[in-house]
Amino acid sequence: MTSMRSDAEPQVHPSAVIEPGAQIGAGCIIGPFCLIGPEVVLGDNCVVKSHVVITGDTTVANDCSIFSFACVGEIPQDQKFKGEKTRLEIGPRTRIREHVTINTGTAGGGSLTRIGADCLLMAGCHVAHDAILGDRVIIVNNAAIAGHCIIEDDVLVGGLSGVHQFVRIGQGAIIGAVTMVTNDVIPYGLVQAPRGELDGLNLVGLKRRGVARSDITALRAAFQMLAQGEGAFQDRARRLGEETDSEYVRNIVKFVTGHSDRSFLTPGQG
């Protein structure tokens, strides 16, 4: 996005509807036929293309861009929702492409849906109520993140994929295209196949982020132990934590031994 003066007056197309109470930051550009609801807060230098709806108790941080026909901040697609007060937060520099839908939270799920910084939500994807997305998450075209999911930093979810409610996807994992994910995914994992099989590590992503060769070697060894070691999956992870010096391996251990509402995908499991 082109840098703009933080003190510049917003540019609002005459056909856009800005409801009383909405807060529009300096330097924002709001295109034709947009609707900005009364509880919306737009940070500085946001660009909202034509035919966008932003509603609900929604806060959009600085330097975000929202493309045509996106619908951001509408009520949850949850029959238990009874109109309670819930919110949506979107972090700075996040890009929301055409036809994306993002819902606010529910009282039963913490009342908050949150998207982190520097995320890219590609055309047609959906983020449901109470989902929490970290920073630099990429959701590819027409993928769907169900309610109550936790997607950690640097995750990529491939196109036409679906993530089941309450699933956690660990930092740096990658989900292949046309994949259904019904179980938690370890950090740096590679999941693919129609029913979501843990098929290795996201080595390409690790190398692109400049992870040291020693850490990648440690992660390879950790994956083999998780795949073929003795005992239950969580027990193998705890032994890893006692034996490793790698921060990346410890991240996997912390994730696996933490609270989960779903079971884990293990190597070879579909």
Side-chain angles (χ1 to χ4, degrees):
M1 183 182 300
T2 303
S3 178
M4 300 180 63
R5 290 169 46 202
S6 60
D7 61 346
E9 286 294 321
Q11 300 178 39
V12 180
H13 192 276
S15 65
V17 175
I18 312 296
E19 296 193 30
Q23 301 178 43
I24 310 300
C28 287
I29 299 174
I30 299 177
F33 303 105
C34 292
L35 172 62
I36 311 296
E39 297 180 285
V40 171
V41 178
L42 285 184
D44 295 343
N45 300 326
C46 290
V47 175
V48 182
K49 304 283 188 174
S50 69
H51 299 84
V52 171
V53 174
I54 309 176
T55 188
D57 187 351
T58 296
T59 300
V60 181
N62 295 348
D63 301 305
C64 289
S65 52
I66 304 177
F67 287 71
S68 298
F69 303 102
C71 186
V72 175
E74 266 293 1
I75 63 172
Q77 299 177 94
D78 185 335
Q79 294 192 79
K80 298 187 297 298
F81 182 75
K82 303 300 181 184
E84 58 267 24
K85 183 73 170 177
T86 61
R87 298 180 294 124
L88 167 65
E89 297 177 359
I90 297 172
R93 298 174 302 282
T94 284
R95 290 167 289 166
I96 299 170
R97 295 303 306 245
E98 297 83 356
H99 297 278
V100 168
T101 54
I102 310 172
N103 297 152
T104 59
T106 64
S111 301
L112 173 67
T113 303
R114 185 170 67 227
I115 313 293
D118 300 294
C119 294
L120 172 58
L121 309 184
M122 295 189 188
C125 70
H126 174 65
V127 179
H129 58 88
D130 307 296
I132 305 296
L133 275 60
D135 299 337
R136 299 174 300 280
V137 171
I138 298 174
I139 311 295
V140 181
N141 303 74
N142 298 303
I145 309 299
H148 312 280
C149 289
I150 297 175
I151 313 295
E152 295 188 351
D153 296 347
D154 301 303
V155 167
L156 188 151
V157 178
L160 295 166
S161 295
V163 181
H164 195 281
Q165 63 181 353
F166 294 103
V167 160
R168 298 182 302 150
I169 300 181
Q171 179 177 354
I174 185 169
I175 310 300
V178 198
T179 298
M180 182 64 198
V181 183
T182 58
N183 300 88
D184 288 354
V185 177
I186 62 171
Y188 322 113
L190 165 64
V191 173
Q192 54 189 355
R195 296 304 300 179
E197 299 176 8
L198 182 60
D199 200 28
L201 296 171
N202 182 15
L203 295 174
V204 172
L206 291 166
K207 292 174 181 176
R208 285 178 177 172
R209 287 194 293 275
V211 175
R213 183 181 296 272
S214 59
D215 282 309
I216 292 177
T217 300
L219 283 168
R220 286 178 182 271
F223 185 84
Q224 287 301 314
M225 181 174 177
L226 289 172
Q228 301 174 358
E230 297 181 356
F233 188 71
Q234 280 82 357
D235 293 337
R236 289 177 243 164
R238 291 188 185 95
R239 289 200 299 273
L240 274 176
E242 296 168 357
E243 299 170 2
T244 187
D245 293 323
S246 170
E247 175 186 350
Y248 291 85
V249 176
R250 285 198 294 267
N251 194 15
I252 292 178
V253 173
K254 181 180 178 181
F255 185 89
V256 171
T257 56
H259 173 76
S260 176
D261 291 306
R262 308 287 299 176
S263 59
F264 286 88
L265 272 178
T266 56
Q269 173 190 351

